Amino acid sequence: MEPAEYDLMDAAEQGMWWYRALHAHAIAALQSVRIGPGGLLDAGCGTGGFLARLRAAQPGLKAAGLEYFAPAAARARAKAGVPVAIGSVNAMPFAAGCFGAVASLDVLSHAAVEPDAALGEMARILAPGGLLVLNLPAYDWLLSAHDLRVRNIRRFTAGGVRRLLAASGFTATRTRYWNALLLPVMAAQRKLLASAPHHGSDVAPFPPWLDRSLHAVTVLERRLMRLGLPFPAGGSILATAIRA
């Protein structure tokens, strides 16, 4: 990403409705299993917002990060108080089988990432039985000016994610669309209101009333998902899988 996008992320990720919703989904997925003694790696941790929120939710969990952009890695260390290595998810600087879980949130979509190589590395560094949690942007037709700014070149479908994970040796894969209730709003904003290539980032301060309203919709959606309601479409895909 451009350095300016890291600045926006750093400023927004502790309060903005989108990050709060994303982190809540990922933390819930991680809390569903016992993470092994190697702890968790946030692969592509950016400026550390997820690691900080995860440590607040699970204070005793051993965690670390990996980030390609050195200034962002430094911010993540300071924000989350955990070790953050500098490197690429395509070739991670860790020993085989050293982590009990890996989370990677909206990383496989980036231009610098090779999804097959990155998933192979995630499988390599996970201990057998380790948990992988991925979040990915959905649907190529939703590619937008914001994607260009953050250098996303691909978006995914649930079926495509399952095939990628199976090819990399993962089992017990589960995929769920989310940000479903807001998908019509997201499509209108990205394809109609903010479609020009020079349009600014979607990561920006929202009026407090709007931020609260959008977050409330994601909370409602999460409750419906916990009750077993599946959404056939959404702006994002949450995937969990086990390293065989």
Side-chain angles (χ1 to χ4, degrees), residues 1-12 47 69 75 203:
M1 295 194 301
E2 299 293 337
E5 288 295 324
Y6 281 105
D7 293 339
L8 292 171
M9 177 193 297
D10 192 25
T47 55
F69 187 53
R75 293 183 185 189
V203 179

Side-chain angles (χ1 to χ4, degrees), residues 43-44 66 68 87-94 104 107-122 124-125 154:
L66 174 71
Y68 183 79
S88 169
V89 295
N90 297 326
M92 300 194 205
F94 304 111
S104 188
V107 172
L108 297 187
S109 50
H110 290 179
V113 176
E114 302 166 19
D116 291 334
L119 287 172
E121 281 291 272
M122 292 173 194
R124 182 185 67 80
I125 66 171
R154 61 184 72 87

Side-chain angles (χ1 to χ4, degrees), residues 48-205:
F50 174 65
L51 283 169
R53 188 162 273 130
L54 177 64
R55 292 199 74 205
Q58 296 182 247
L61 178 64
K62 180 181 177 182
L66 174 71
E67 171 55 41
Y68 183 79
F69 187 53
R75 293 183 185 189
R77 288 188 205 103
K79 185 181 292 185
V82 301
V84 177
I86 298 171
S88 169
V89 295
N90 297 326
M92 300 194 205
F94 304 111
C98 65
F99 290 101
V102 171
S104 188
L105 308 182
D106 292 342
V107 172
L108 297 187
S109 50
H110 290 179
V113 176
E114 302 166 19
D116 291 334
L119 287 172
E121 281 291 272
M122 292 173 194
R124 182 185 67 80
I125 66 171
L126 273 170
L131 175 68
L132 175 66
V133 176
L134 296 177
N135 195 78
L136 299 165
Y139 304 124
D140 281 337
W141 61 265
L142 274 175
L143 279 167
S144 67
H146 174 75
D147 288 297
L148 294 176
R149 287 183 65 90
V150 299
R151 298 187 182 177
N152 280 344
I153 63 168
R154 61 184 72 87
R155 299 176 73 94
F156 298 83
T157 64
V161 172
R162 289 192 293 270
R163 288 189 292 272
L164 279 172
L165 289 168
S168 297
F170 288 95
T171 62
T173 298
R174 184 184 180 197
T175 56
R176 289 153 284 175
Y177 285 104
W178 70 275
N179 211 14
L181 299 179
L182 292 172
L183 180 59
V185 177
M186 179 181 177
Q189 192 272 338
R190 289 194 163 202
K191 308 310 288 186
L192 298 175
L193 302 177
S195 58
H198 62 272
H199 195 275
S201 175
D202 287 356
V203 179

Side-chain angles (χ1 to χ4, degrees), residues 208-224:
W209 68 267
L210 180 57
D211 194 274
R212 287 193 300 270
S213 299
L214 294 170
H215 186 252
V217 174
T218 69
V219 171
L220 171 62
E221 181 177 279
R222 209 159 56 246
R223 288 173 179 166
L224 293 173

